[in-house]
Amino acid sequence: MITGPVEVVKVGNALGESIVWDSRCNSFWWTDTLQAVVLRLDWSTHEVTRYPTGRPVYSLALTKDPEWLLVAAAREIGLFRPLEGHYVFVAAPEMAPGLRLNDGKVDPWGRFVVGELSIAADGPPASVFRLEPSGALTRLAAGLSAVNGLAFDVGASTAYVSDSRLGSIWRTPYPRTAQVFQRESSFQTAGSLSRPDGACVDSAGVLWSSQYGDGTVRAFGRDGSPLMAVSLAAPHATCCAFGGPDLNWLAVTTASGGQQTDAHLHLLKTDSRGPGPALWGLTT
């Protein structure tokens, strides 16, 4: 499934997260939460541009307007225009103290699904919310601790969500009309050294899960069966997405595990293909 050596792009991240491919500008976008910047890798030149956000951004998504990104800050969701550094408030979920927003993805129908993280291990339970283009918010799930790994399998009308503290990934039915994450089945991703972080699903329905703790990306079938694992030259893999002109490159963000800025972007050429980018506000 991996067809060549891993390419490392030196980007100097502390905590890279939430990577997405934008075919409109032929680029990968992602965030470095600890440095409060959004980054863009131009595919044709491999030039990396950094855009200060003025606040930590925990996840981001593309929108129908190519000049704006949807971003999840600590306790609110807003629109961010990288070229100008302009930020506009969109919505704030009802959140208990001790929680912040974390991983987020656009679903196949143009709605932003974002989870919470309980800052303390024994803190309040975390939820998953869905933000409609209208600004309306729906609580899809509750009772979690550290929501990560949100991903959507379009062909199977399925969503995935993981809890990094529990080390589990759940699979849930997710038709367009879904009002709740039912979490019907779950599976463990690896041993005690790693925790499931950001994830994506390819066009064949394979789930690719970044592992924080052992620097691997693990692939799973729709039934949760392990298919393969790829080791990176990094201690922590944080998020992954397919991109490139043919959607066959898996880009993986990493983290240093501290304040050091020695985490980089890893590019893996595969024989798989991604489904293409999803845009917030797209309702087809």
Side-chain angles (χ1 to χ4, degrees), residues 173-199:
Y174 192 73
R176 183 172 187 159
T177 56
Q179 296 298 311
V180 65
F181 272 7
Q182 297 175 3
R183 290 185 278 165
E184 286 188 347
S185 59
S186 67
F187 53 95
Q188 301 296 118
T189 60
S192 60
L193 294 179
S194 66
R195 293 169 285 165
D197 208 321

Side-chain angles (χ1 to χ4, degrees), residues 114-257:
V114 61
E116 294 175 314
L117 180 144
S118 184
I119 296 170
D122 59 351
S127 295
V128 178
F129 298 95
R130 184 173 63 208
L131 175 67
E132 307 284 343
S134 66
L137 283 161
T138 301
R139 192 186 303 265
L140 295 175
L144 299 165
S145 180
V147 176
N148 260 311
L150 289 162
F152 300 95
D153 183 347
V154 179
S157 296
T158 295
Y160 292 93
V161 60
S162 66
D163 191 314
S164 294
R165 287 202 174 101
L166 297 180
S168 295
I169 297 175
W170 285 274
R171 186 174 186 266
T172 176
Y174 192 73
R176 183 172 187 159
T177 56
Q179 296 298 311
V180 65
F181 272 7
Q182 297 175 3
R183 290 185 278 165
E184 286 188 347
S185 59
S186 67
F187 53 95
Q188 301 296 118
T189 60
S192 60
L193 294 179
S194 66
R195 293 169 285 165
D197 208 321
C200 66
V201 178
D202 67 24
S203 58
V206 173
L207 176 71
W208 298 77
S209 174
S210 306
Q211 299 292 300
Y212 192 97
D214 70 359
T216 63
V217 179
R218 298 178 180 269
F220 299 91
R222 283 177 169 147
D223 60 356
S225 58
L227 302 178
M228 67 171 299
V230 182
S231 295
L232 307 177
H236 308 293
T238 54
C239 193
C240 55
F242 280 93
D246 297 320
L247 298 174
N248 63 332
W249 284 84
L250 186 68
V252 186
T253 53
T254 61
S256 67

